[in-house]
Amino acid sequence: MDSCIFCKIANGEIPSNTIYEDDKFRVILDNGPATKGHALVLPKEHYANLFEMPEELLADAAKVAKKVASDIKDKLSCDGLNLVQNNGETAGQTVMHFHLHIIPRYKNDGQHILWNPTSPSAEELVEVKNTIVGA
């Protein structure tokens, strides 16, 4: 897409702090990081979200994320990490180009990339399961 900023970054038209690149992906440091080393896995082809990505490319994105996450963990000595991938504005996606966040986590880093668990009944869980699987 001509107007997509992540397409331009992924394809080298806009400078970035690239920490990994191959023929399908560029991984850059996020300009507004949640923590030190926060990176984005960007496919070089445009896909708005998870649902547009071919399954094989999605699997490749996971492999790239694992490799880069291992490098980040080794080099930055983080205590853990989050892989985050948002789909749609309601889910927190702000750039409509598939991207996978690799967020190193450090003790007392002040980030809260979590959710508030709810307490559905056993019956509600079965109803949701049946809705999804068509029982």
Side-chain angles (χ1 to χ4, degrees), residues 35-36 69-82 102-107 109:
T35 62
K36 179 182 174 183
S70 294
D71 291 344
I72 288 171
K73 188 172 182 339
D74 290 343
K75 303 283 173 56
L76 298 181
S77 301
C78 58
D79 301 305
L81 61 90
N82 295 106
I102 302 170
I103 305 172
R105 298 303 306 273
Y106 306 91
K107 287 186 174 128
D109 63 19

Side-chain angles (χ1 to χ4, degrees), residues 1-79:
M1 269 179 79
D2 292 341
S3 62
C4 177
I5 186 109
F6 279 3
C7 281
K8 292 177 182 179
I9 293 169
N11 289 290
E13 297 171 37
I14 295 175
S16 64
N17 289 301
T18 300
I19 59 174
Y20 175 85
E21 182 177 11
D22 64 23
D23 59 327
K24 298 176 189 172
F25 298 94
R26 181 182 298 260
V27 181
I28 65 169
L29 292 179
D30 193 308
N31 282 341
T35 62
K36 179 182 174 183
H38 179 170
L40 303 175
V41 178
L42 306 174
K44 292 183 176 181
E45 289 186 46
H46 183 82
Y47 301 97
N49 55 45
L50 170 79
F51 305 106
E52 291 186 4
M53 287 273 287
E55 288 182 12
E56 185 175 303
L57 190 63
L58 188 58
D60 291 341
K63 291 173 188 173
V64 168
K66 181 179 179 181
K67 185 228 178 301
V68 173
S70 294
D71 291 344
I72 288 171
K73 188 172 182 339
D74 290 343
K75 303 283 173 56
L76 298 181
S77 301
C78 58
D79 301 305

